[in-house]
Amino acid sequence: MEQKKVESLAQAVLEKIFVPLEASGRHVHVTKEQAIALFGHDLTPARELSQPGQFLAKERVTVTGPKGEFQNVAVLGPARKGAQVEISLTDGRTLGITPPVRLSGDTKESPGCTLTGTQGSVAIPEGVIAAQRHIHLHPQDAVRFQVRDKQVVKLQTFTDRPAVFEEVVVRVSPDFSSAVHLDYDEANACGFRSGDWGRILS
Amino acid sequence: MEQKKVESLAQAVLEKIFVPLEASGRHVHVTKEQAIALFGHDLTPARELSQPGQFLAKERVTVTGPKGEFQNVAVLGPARKGAQVEISLTDGRTLGITPPVRLSGDTKESPGCTLTGTQGSVAIPEGVIAAQRHIHLHPQDAVRFQVRDKQVVKLQTFTDRPAVFEEVVVRVSPDFSSAVHLDYDEANACGFRSGDWGRILS
């Protein structure tokens, strides 16, 4: 077989058994009103992300906590109904904030922080979380892996420092491109490199 | 049974089945000559560490890499035969250094950095590593857990974000107090808090 055919076959087999790993760096979601307060206009796309419809914005913010700040933090669009700041526990130590480990959207009674853009600052009373590790699955892949939305599974990583992450939440939606989302603490703990794969253990 | 008796019994049972987890922050080991160059004198103990004979020094250093620095970094004593700088992969991104994941003492062909103390600076040509996760065991505990020196095991953490770390190296020595040593990437990835325990899976 030609080398190219072998490679595309290998890729197809990989995709049937494994899920690609992705590491999410610290990032911010804002409302349209907050975007206008921060930048004078709504978010403008810089490039598409792996999840369909989501984009990295051209705009960047400074995230400030009681003990420190991060400059030049990524803002993801489109604008949402509520602000959300996703950081790692390591980031939390720098900022002086202890973020609860939550699924995206679950920001109730989480700590706040200050966001600063080119045109102004916004103090958000809550919204700082550490994203709970989760797996985005397209419904076809959920059937293949025999898991359902909100199911909690274990995930084995085939990485430099292999690990099994327990309590990983599966999210299923036709809007999703199938991928495991780890934060940078988890990515570094397992020695993740771009292109690595994981396996769902249920 | 009195509450106190119950607690001490529970502690004894815990110690028979589990190993305490410890998180190691970034730190530096130096030679006596380097200590003198950095501080004008050998290291002076500030407090004892869990491993017998090891101490946190009163002296602190700045660790500088091509892209950034960390100030006020812990120096551990007593002085060693060679310098070693133990950082996490996350720290490596800040410094602009990619440390290899190695066991302590295995610094061959690892990157260097600059250390700065109160009296001077020392450029070390190699010695920057990310400590490979490992378990220190007293020989009595090695017998109990049926593992031997240099054996590679899996370790299950009973923590907020439970995980199984694979490829954990066991080190056995009568000089050791039994404990799992994780770096801060690993500690944060599993949601470690002081007082947490792990279980060796062989």
Side-chain angles (χ1 to χ4, degrees), chain A residues 89-90 93 101 130-133 154 156-157 160-167 183-191, chain B residues 89-90 93 101 130-133 154 156-157 160-167 183-186 188-191:
Chain A
L89 298 184
T90 299
R93 292 170 71 98
V101 178
Q132 184 172 356
R133 50 202 179 214
K154 297 181 185 183
Q156 183 173 25
T157 71
D160 249 19
R161 307 164 98 179
V164 176
F165 291 117
E166 301 184 7
E167 298 187 11
D183 72 16
Y184 263 92
D185 286 335
E186 294 160 337
N188 284 328
C190 73
Chain B
L89 298 184
T90 298
R93 292 170 70 97
V101 179
Q132 183 172 357
R133 49 204 179 214
K154 296 180 184 183
Q156 182 173 28
T157 71
D160 250 19
R161 307 164 98 178
V164 176
F165 291 117
E166 302 184 6
E167 298 186 10
D183 72 17
Y184 263 92
D185 286 334
E186 295 161 337
N188 285 328
C190 73

Side-chain angles (χ1 to χ4, degrees), chain B:
Chain B
M1 240 185 313
E2 298 166 48
Q3 181 64 15
K4 209 171 156 184
K5 273 192 189 163
V6 172
E7 279 173 17
S8 77
L9 190 60
Q11 183 72 15
V13 170
L14 270 176
E15 286 173 8
K16 285 218 188 303
I17 305 173
F18 301 105
V19 186
L21 303 180
E22 294 181 1
S24 302
R26 69 183 80 101
H27 66 267
V28 171
H29 299 276
V30 293
T31 65
K32 191 174 173 185
E33 292 68 33
Q34 289 167 336
I36 291 168
L38 291 165
F39 313 113
H41 52 77
D42 197 359
L43 301 173
T44 49
R47 71 172 168 81
E48 286 188 10
L49 299 176
S50 69
Q51 295 309 313
Q54 304 294 302
F55 61 83
L56 173 70
K58 286 182 186 164
E59 295 77 16
R60 298 251 162 182
V61 289
T62 296
V63 175
T64 308
K67 282 178 67 176
E69 65 172 35
F70 289 110
Q71 299 177 354
N72 204 33
V73 175
V75 180
L76 305 193
R80 289 193 179 184
K81 285 186 184 169
Q84 184 168 295
V85 177
E86 297 181 40
I87 62 174
S88 69
L89 298 184
T90 298
D91 290 342
R93 292 170 70 97
T94 302
L95 294 177
I97 295 173
T98 304
V101 179
R102 299 273 185 86
L103 285 176
S104 184
D106 180 12
T107 59
K108 201 177 170 188
E109 292 175 18
S110 60
C113 69
T114 300
L115 305 177
T116 306
T118 49
Q119 300 293 311
S121 284
V122 172
I124 60 167
E126 64 179 31
V128 182
I129 62 171
Q132 183 172 357
R133 49 204 179 214
H134 57 280
I135 307 175
H136 283 187
L137 287 181
H138 190 275
Q140 285 180 355
D141 290 326
V143 169
R144 172 182 305 149
F145 296 124
Q146 297 182 285
V147 293
R148 58 183 192 286
D149 189 45
K150 294 182 186 161
Q151 188 172 340
V152 176
V153 299
K154 296 180 184 183
L155 179 94
Q156 182 173 28
T157 71
F158 294 87
T159 48
D160 250 19
R161 307 164 98 178
V164 176
F165 291 117
E166 302 184 6
E167 298 186 10
V168 186
V169 182
V170 172
R171 304 309 304 262
V172 180
S173 162
D175 295 339
F176 289 160
S177 160
S178 294
V180 176
H181 284 204
L182 302 174
D183 72 17
Y184 263 92
D185 286 334
E186 295 161 337
N188 285 328
C190 73
F192 164 80
R193 290 182 204 175
S194 182
D196 283 342
W197 299 80
R199 187 165 147 252
I200 295 173
L201 309 176
S202 45

Side-chain angles (χ1 to χ4, degrees), chain A:
Chain A
M1 242 186 312
E2 298 166 47
Q3 180 65 14
K4 209 172 159 185
K5 274 193 186 162
V6 172
E7 278 173 15
S8 78
L9 190 62
Q11 183 73 16
V13 170
L14 270 174
E15 285 173 8
K16 284 217 187 304
I17 306 173
F18 301 105
V19 186
L21 304 180
E22 294 181 1
S24 302
R26 65 184 82 101
H27 66 267
V28 170
H29 300 275
V30 295
T31 66
K32 191 175 173 184
E33 293 67 34
Q34 289 167 336
I36 291 168
L38 291 165
F39 313 113
H41 52 77
D42 197 0
L43 300 175
T44 48
R47 70 172 169 80
E48 287 187 11
L49 298 176
S50 69
Q51 296 308 313
Q54 304 294 301
F55 62 83
L56 173 70
K58 286 182 186 165
E59 294 76 17
R60 300 251 161 182
V61 290
T62 295
V63 175
T64 308
K67 282 177 68 176
E69 65 173 35
F70 289 110
Q71 298 178 356
N72 204 33
V73 176
V75 180
L76 305 193
R80 290 194 178 184
K81 285 185 183 169
Q84 184 168 295
V85 177
E86 298 181 41
I87 62 173
S88 68
L89 298 184
T90 299
D91 290 343
R93 292 170 71 98
T94 302
L95 294 175
I97 294 173
T98 304
V101 178
R102 298 273 186 85
L103 284 177
S104 185
D106 179 12
T107 58
K108 202 175 169 189
E109 293 175 17
S110 60
C113 69
T114 300
L115 305 178
T116 306
T118 48
Q119 300 292 313
S121 285
V122 172
I124 61 166
E126 64 180 32
V128 183
I129 63 170
Q132 184 172 356
R133 50 202 179 214
H134 57 281
I135 307 176
H136 283 189
L137 287 182
H138 189 275
Q140 284 180 354
D141 290 326
V143 169
R144 172 181 305 150
F145 297 122
Q146 297 182 286
V147 293
R148 58 184 191 285
D149 190 45
K150 293 182 187 159
Q151 187 173 338
V152 176
V153 299
K154 297 181 185 183
L155 179 95
Q156 183 173 25
T157 71
F158 294 87
T159 48
D160 249 19
R161 307 164 98 179
V164 176
F165 291 117
E166 301 184 7
E167 298 187 11
V168 186
V169 182
V170 172
R171 303 310 303 263
V172 180
S173 163
D175 297 336
F176 288 160
S177 159
S178 295
V180 177
H181 285 202
L182 302 175
D183 72 16
Y184 263 92
D185 286 335
E186 294 160 337
N188 284 328
C190 73
F192 163 80
R193 290 183 204 174
S194 182
D196 283 342
W197 299 79
R199 187 164 147 252
I200 295 173
L201 309 175
S202 44

